[in-house]
Amino acid sequence: SDGDKGPGGDGGGGGLGGGGGGAGGTVAVLDVGCGDGAALPYLCEAGADAARYAGLDLSSRMLRAARASHPGVRFEQGSFLTAAAAAPPAQYDAVLFNGALQFFGDQRAALRRAAALLGGRGRLVLAHANGAAFVRDEAARNPQTVLSTMPSLEEAEEIGSELGMRLLTPHQLGVPGAAPGGEADAAALDGFYLLALEKAGPE
């Protein structure tokens, strides 16, 4: 993944949902494109349970660093489209794409697969610490590697509708400086990207 901060940016948990932060978290998280596991401490602060966390990445070098930093935590090398951690019967409260979604040529297919892994009122959390504008520049400079840009608010809402999920905007997720309203939320995404799609279902 690109980011070296947690998906909350300031140390927050990036809208994991599922209950309080601090020690003893209970939220099961799949971290797609986990890199060296840098997001894990932030996720645990936000309520993630390290024993119910799975980090997934293509890079063996990054995963060696992740395992060294977080011994005993599950990290798996492989593609999100084929890895065991990202296939039923695996189930999570949140699937996180932190600095990773832009590497999928078909984001909707990836998000459909991710949504199928959610239980209860699970969430898909889409994040990029450097923002949507940064990803657009990356995609323009290196289109063979950066296959997509980050979904706009309208695109994310449309994807959520297709999946039967509701969109949670930067303002709703507590992003610093974000304000209610489409234009304000869209502007916030350019500088720091954080959206979530929440599944409708029992708690």
Side-chain angles (χ1 to χ4, degrees):
S1 93
D2 278 354
D4 60 357
K5 280 186 162 185
D10 57 355
L16 289 183
T26 61
V27 179
V29 177
L30 175 62
D31 185 358
V32 179
C34 65
D36 63 1
L40 182 56
Y42 301 105
L43 297 172
C44 289
E45 285 177 14
D49 179 358
R52 301 178 67 209
Y53 167 96
L56 183 63
D57 206 278
L58 291 170
S59 168
S60 58
R61 179 180 63 83
M62 297 299 278
L63 290 176
R64 280 195 299 273
R67 292 177 181 125
S69 298
H70 308 289
V73 174
R74 180 184 181 186
F75 293 98
E76 182 177 335
Q77 184 177 3
S79 164
F80 173 68
L81 301 178
T82 58
Q91 191 171 83
Y92 301 93
D93 301 306
V95 178
L96 169 66
F97 293 84
N98 182 29
L101 192 61
Q102 72 272 24
F103 299 117
F104 290 88
D106 188 343
Q107 294 181 341
R108 292 180 187 233
L111 294 174
R112 277 196 303 272
R113 181 179 174 88
L117 300 172
L118 295 174
R121 296 185 70 84
R123 289 183 179 183
L124 304 179
V125 182
L126 318 179
H128 199 296
N130 295 319
F134 174 87
V135 176
R136 287 195 297 272
D137 289 344
E138 268 197 322
R141 290 195 307 268
N142 194 4
Q144 292 185 323
T145 300
V146 182
L147 303 179
S148 301
T149 56
M150 302 304 288
S152 67
L153 274 176
E154 294 78 11
E155 289 167 340
E157 192 161 26
E158 184 178 303
I159 292 167
S161 179
E162 290 174 5
L163 297 174
M165 304 176 77
R166 75 180 185 108
L167 175 66
L168 300 175
T169 67
H171 172 70
Q172 290 170 310
L173 293 170
V175 172
E183 288 186 11
D185 271 325
L189 291 176
D190 265 354
F192 177 82
Y193 192 98
L194 181 65
L195 291 176
L197 298 172
E198 185 176 71
K199 186 177 178 181
E203 295 290 347

